[in-house]
Amino acid sequence: MGQNNANRGKTQMIIGVPKEIMHDEDRVSATPDVCARYISLGHSVLVEKNAGEGSYFHDEQYAAAGAEIVDTAREVYERAELILKVKEPQFNRLMDMHEVDMMRPGQVLITFIHPAAPSNHQMVQNLAARGVTALTLDGVPRISRAQSMDALTSMSTCAGYKGIIMGSNLLPRFVPQIFSAVGQIRPINALIVGAGVGGLQALATAKRLGARVHAADIRPAAREQAQSLGAQIIELNIPEEAAVGTGGYAKSLSRELLAQERAALAARLPEMDLVFLSALVPGKLAPILITEEMVQAMKPGAVIVDISIDQGGNCALTPPGEIQTRHKVHLVGIKNIPGLLPESATSMFALNMFNLVNYLIKDGQLVLDRGDEIVQGILTTLDGQVVHAGAREAMGL
């Protein structure tokens, strides 16, 4: 390794691409084409054997691009300075150890961490204790100069499309209006809560499938976009100054306003067949917008697809990582819906990652300017400390 480093000089980084180990996760953090881009800039790339198979990118394609194929995740972690992943570190059952425990002080990790989610608190604290510098992709701010780095937007597009397909598949009834010899069957009612990127893609997909679409969002601009796609708007009557924060993101609501939003949704939920939940507040736990009592009032056979589950979920009953039926309503809490669209999702993700890495590396070194808005949004652990504001608040630090 030392000799290889000497040959490469001091202006390059060793980038590691391990195989994702989350159940049903077929994405990978770099495509062969993107590996070739890293290599053209002077970096070397280690790719774990078969890392891209699930998204139909093969070892021979990576090798042809100039990447080195290595046999084990352990070797990737041992040799790489910068680890690129899709999902947060997990317990590797094959190696009988957690991915965090394969990392070392000073190593850099870039992935989706969702550090405010309670299920990830211990893992984030372990990253800090390990001395790893961790950067979370869900913290990339939605500003013009960060658009090309915004993997969350790309994955939300995938989740919006695939989430509606999954929800429709669980429904016990037709989605569109059907005319048959025995009469007319009416289209379903679909409700999109949170008209951000994922919500708008879900809305458009539900409409293409023939559903009557409804939308709810506390932000006026988001409601206008939903309406332009043909949705009937459910008015939540939240004052704009309480709803919209920096960069057009939703703000956390007071207990009173949150109760008001729930009441408005509760009035319309019983008529809905398919509900898509994607309401998020950046860096914080997702607000609970649908309570157990509200689920009980829904139609038997209705479906809730909750893509905000990585940050806790918008429905109180959403099962993390699973699909369950409660009160005769199907609840989809799959955490990696974009992973079910692996080829498209990987192609988008890998380019977002490349653009972020290229932005952060200057003269062969990763430069973290704490005054930079992008760095502020993504920096999660540094120098043995949890520094992510949303994570610290959720952890009570």
Side-chain angles (χ1 to χ4, degrees):
M1 177 176 161
Q3 186 177 355
N4 288 342
N5 275 344
N7 292 338
R8 276 187 290 264
K10 296 182 180 179
T11 60
Q12 300 134 353
M13 292 196 76
I14 305 171
I15 297 172
V17 178
K19 181 177 173 64
E20 297 296 321
I21 58 174
M22 178 180 272
H23 180 64
D24 285 339
E25 179 54 81
D26 288 325
R27 290 172 294 175
V28 63
S29 60
T31 63
D33 284 347
V34 165
C35 285
R37 292 195 188 196
Y38 287 124
I39 291 161
S40 73
L41 294 174
H43 307 299
S44 59
V45 182
L46 310 175
V47 178
E48 185 182 349
K49 183 179 178 180
N50 295 326
E53 286 298 316
S55 45
Y56 302 94
F57 298 108
H58 310 299
D59 287 351
E60 51 268 31
Q61 293 174 285
Y62 286 103
E68 179 184 346
I69 308 300
V70 298
D71 287 333
T72 66
R74 186 189 293 277
E75 186 176 355
V76 173
Y77 284 99
E78 283 178 351
R79 293 176 56 192
E81 300 164 290
L82 171 60
I83 298 290
L84 307 182
K85 277 181 49 62
V86 179
K87 298 301 291 183
E88 68 269 22
Q90 315 272 321
F91 186 82
N92 190 321
R93 297 185 188 283
L94 186 65
M95 305 193 71
D96 196 31
M97 69 187 302
H98 201 284
E99 287 179 304
V100 172
D101 295 327
M102 296 187 212
M103 302 190 72
R104 63 179 184 274
Q107 200 165 37
V108 180
L109 169 70
I110 306 179
T111 186
F112 279 118
I113 298 174
H114 302 289
S119 59
N120 291 334
H121 286 179
Q122 188 60 56
M123 177 268 295
V124 171
Q125 290 171 336
N126 291 347
L127 280 169
R130 197 82 179 169
V132 174
T133 298
L135 309 173
T136 185
L137 292 169
D138 50 292
V140 173
R142 284 192 179 149
I143 56 178
S144 57
R145 65 189 179 93
Q147 283 181 341
S148 67
M149 314 168 199
D150 190 355
L152 187 60
T153 288
S154 295
M155 296 306 97
S156 293
T157 298
C158 297
Y161 168 80
K162 191 67 172 181
I164 288 295
I165 300 296
M166 293 171 65
S168 300
N169 196 45
L170 287 167
L171 279 171
R173 52 191 75 106
F174 288 113
V175 173
Q177 182 170 254
I178 296 289
F179 295 97
S180 74
V182 293
Q184 174 187 348
I185 298 173
R186 296 185 179 278
I188 67 158
N189 286 306
L191 170 61
I192 312 301
V193 182
V197 174
L200 291 173
Q201 185 60 234
L203 196 162
T205 302
K207 189 170 178 62
R208 286 193 290 265
L209 290 175
R212 284 199 195 101
V213 291
H214 309 257
D217 198 296
I218 61 176
R219 300 164 297 169
R223 293 197 297 272
E224 287 176 18
Q225 288 178 304
Q227 196 164 26
S228 73
L229 290 177
Q232 177 189 325
I233 301 301
I234 294 177
E235 293 296 339
L236 303 174
N237 300 312
I238 305 296
E240 182 174 354
E241 61 273 14
V244 183
T246 306
Y249 286 109
K251 289 167 66 175
S252 293
L253 298 182
S254 67
R255 186 177 299 177
E256 294 74 23
L257 288 177
L258 190 57
Q260 179 179 311
E261 182 177 2
R262 287 190 191 124
L265 293 173
R268 300 295 299 275
L269 269 182
E271 66 195 78
M272 299 301 162
D273 301 276
L274 176 56
V275 179
F276 183 90
L277 300 174
S278 61
L280 293 172
V281 177
K284 298 191 177 181
L285 289 176
I288 298 295
L289 303 178
I290 295 182
T291 63
E292 181 170 5
E293 293 73 22
M294 292 163 71
V295 172
Q296 287 175 309
M298 293 179 68
K299 290 180 182 179
V303 179
I304 294 174
V305 179
D306 190 348
I307 71 163
S308 68
I309 189 61
D310 270 325
Q311 286 175 237
N314 290 142
C315 174
L317 297 185
T318 303
E322 298 182 36
I323 299 174
Q324 292 181 2
T325 302
R326 298 280 300 277
H327 306 299
K328 300 181 181 177
V329 173
H330 302 289
L331 297 156
V332 179
I334 299 300
K335 284 193 166 192
N336 57 334
I337 291 178
L340 303 177
L341 202 65
E343 186 178 329
S344 294
T346 287
S347 296
M348 297 171 79
F349 180 94
L351 284 168
N352 291 136
M353 180 73 90
F354 172 81
N355 291 326
L356 178 60
V357 170
N358 200 36
Y359 176 80
L360 294 173
I361 292 180
K362 298 172 176 64
D363 296 324
Q365 298 297 318
L366 198 77
V367 177
L368 299 176
D369 176 4
R370 299 289 293 271
D372 182 291
E373 188 175 358
I374 295 171
V375 174
Q376 286 175 4
I378 64 177
L379 193 56
T380 303
T381 63
L382 181 70
D383 297 331
Q385 301 294 320
V386 177
V387 297
H388 186 277
R392 291 182 63 83
E393 180 183 338
M395 293 175 184
L397 297 177

